[in-house]
Tab-separated table of all heavy atoms in Angstrom:
chain	number	residue	atom	x	y	z
A	6	ILE	N	14.500	-6.539	-5.729
A	6	ILE	CA	13.256	-7.101	-5.195
A	6	ILE	C	12.278	-7.265	-6.337
A	6	ILE	O	11.540	-8.295	-6.356
A	6	ILE	CB	12.671	-6.185	-4.116
A	6	ILE	CG1	13.661	-6.111	-2.906
A	6	ILE	CG2	11.337	-6.711	-3.613
A	6	ILE	CD1	13.259	-5.129	-1.852
A	24	VAL	N	18.166	-8.358	1.620
A	24	VAL	CA	17.964	-7.493	2.843
A	24	VAL	C	19.282	-7.307	3.550
A	24	VAL	O	19.601	-6.176	3.971
A	24	VAL	CB	16.932	-8.227	3.770
A	24	VAL	CG1	16.844	-7.420	5.088
A	24	VAL	CG2	15.565	-8.246	3.128
A	30	LEU	N	18.005	-1.312	5.322
A	30	LEU	CA	16.861	-2.167	5.199
A	30	LEU	C	16.867	-3.285	6.194
A	30	LEU	O	15.857	-3.666	6.837
A	30	LEU	CB	16.794	-2.775	3.777
A	30	LEU	CG	15.677	-3.783	3.423
A	30	LEU	CD1	14.320	-3.165	3.743
A	30	LEU	CD2	15.798	-4.238	2.004
A	34	VAL	N	13.952	-4.207	8.908
A	34	VAL	CA	13.260	-5.544	8.969
A	34	VAL	C	13.350	-6.041	10.428
A	34	VAL	O	12.369	-6.605	10.960
A	34	VAL	CB	13.884	-6.528	7.994
A	34	VAL	CG1	13.443	-7.957	8.252
A	34	VAL	CG2	13.544	-6.112	6.573
A	37	TRP	N	10.866	-4.158	12.443
A	37	TRP	CA	9.456	-4.598	12.147
A	37	TRP	C	9.153	-5.892	12.908
A	37	TRP	O	8.096	-6.071	13.503
A	37	TRP	CB	9.309	-4.865	10.623
A	37	TRP	CG	9.374	-3.644	9.782
A	37	TRP	CD1	9.068	-2.371	10.139
A	37	TRP	CD2	9.779	-3.579	8.402
A	37	TRP	NE1	9.291	-1.507	9.110
A	37	TRP	CE2	9.691	-2.223	8.035
A	37	TRP	CE3	10.171	-4.534	7.473
A	37	TRP	CZ2	10.001	-1.839	6.715
A	37	TRP	CZ3	10.496	-4.129	6.210
A	37	TRP	CH2	10.417	-2.809	5.851
A	64	LEU	N	5.323	-10.545	3.287
A	64	LEU	CA	5.292	-9.274	3.975
A	64	LEU	C	6.674	-8.562	3.923
A	64	LEU	O	6.733	-7.363	3.699
A	64	LEU	CB	4.839	-9.478	5.417
A	64	LEU	CG	4.724	-8.239	6.289
A	64	LEU	CD1	3.716	-7.242	5.685
A	64	LEU	CD2	4.347	-8.567	7.717
A	65	VAL	N	7.693	-9.286	4.167
A	65	VAL	CA	9.070	-8.705	4.099
A	65	VAL	C	9.368	-8.193	2.716
A	65	VAL	O	9.919	-7.067	2.550
A	65	VAL	CB	10.116	-9.729	4.559
A	65	VAL	CG1	11.529	-9.141	4.309
A	65	VAL	CG2	9.975	-10.033	6.058
A	66	MET	N	8.971	-8.980	1.714
A	66	MET	CA	9.295	-8.525	0.359
A	66	MET	C	8.476	-7.273	0.014
A	66	MET	O	9.020	-6.309	-0.562
A	66	MET	CB	8.920	-9.603	-0.657
A	66	MET	CG	9.303	-9.280	-2.100
A	66	MET	SD	9.546	-10.721	-3.170
A	66	MET	CE	7.934	-11.483	-3.080
A	67	ASN	N	7.243	-7.222	0.403
A	67	ASN	CA	6.406	-6.079	0.080
A	67	ASN	C	6.790	-4.833	0.868
A	67	ASN	O	6.860	-3.700	0.324
A	67	ASN	CB	4.941	-6.383	0.291
A	67	ASN	CG	4.429	-7.438	-0.702
A	67	ASN	OD1	4.933	-7.539	-1.782
A	67	ASN	ND2	3.420	-8.219	-0.298
A	68	LEU	N	7.084	-4.996	2.166
A	68	LEU	CA	7.535	-3.848	2.944
A	68	LEU	C	8.872	-3.365	2.475
A	68	LEU	O	9.115	-2.144	2.401
A	68	LEU	CB	7.602	-4.272	4.455
A	68	LEU	CG	6.289	-4.280	5.211
A	68	LEU	CD1	6.490	-4.896	6.578
A	68	LEU	CD2	5.694	-2.885	5.400
A	69	SER	N	9.774	-4.276	2.143
A	69	SER	CA	11.090	-3.911	1.591
A	69	SER	C	10.942	-3.172	0.299
A	69	SER	O	11.678	-2.192	0.053
A	69	SER	CB	11.973	-5.164	1.427
A	69	SER	OG	12.172	-5.839	2.644
A	70	LEU	N	10.054	-3.635	-0.562
A	70	LEU	CA	9.825	-2.925	-1.830
A	70	LEU	C	9.318	-1.530	-1.567
A	70	LEU	O	9.760	-0.588	-2.204
A	70	LEU	CB	8.835	-3.702	-2.699
A	70	LEU	CG	8.488	-3.102	-4.059
A	70	LEU	CD1	9.732	-2.929	-4.901
A	70	LEU	CD2	7.439	-3.975	-4.782
A	71	GLY	N	8.377	-1.386	-0.653
A	71	GLY	CA	7.854	-0.030	-0.314
A	71	GLY	C	8.979	0.866	0.241
A	71	GLY	O	9.042	2.022	-0.119
A	72	LEU	N	9.819	0.322	1.107
A	72	LEU	CA	10.918	1.113	1.654
A	72	LEU	C	11.888	1.531	0.543
A	72	LEU	O	12.330	2.696	0.515
A	72	LEU	CB	11.661	0.335	2.730
A	72	LEU	CG	12.745	1.079	3.493
A	72	LEU	CD1	12.176	2.174	4.349
A	72	LEU	CD2	13.547	0.114	4.320
A	73	ALA	N	12.227	0.581	-0.357
A	73	ALA	CA	13.184	0.928	-1.423
A	73	ALA	C	12.604	1.949	-2.390
A	73	ALA	O	13.285	2.875	-2.839
A	73	ALA	CB	13.529	-0.388	-2.153
Side-chain angles (χ1 to χ4, degrees):
I6 296 172
V24 173
L30 177 56
V34 168
W37 292 335
L64 181 60
V65 172
M66 185 157 59
N67 292 334
L68 281 171
S69 299
L70 180 58
L72 184 68

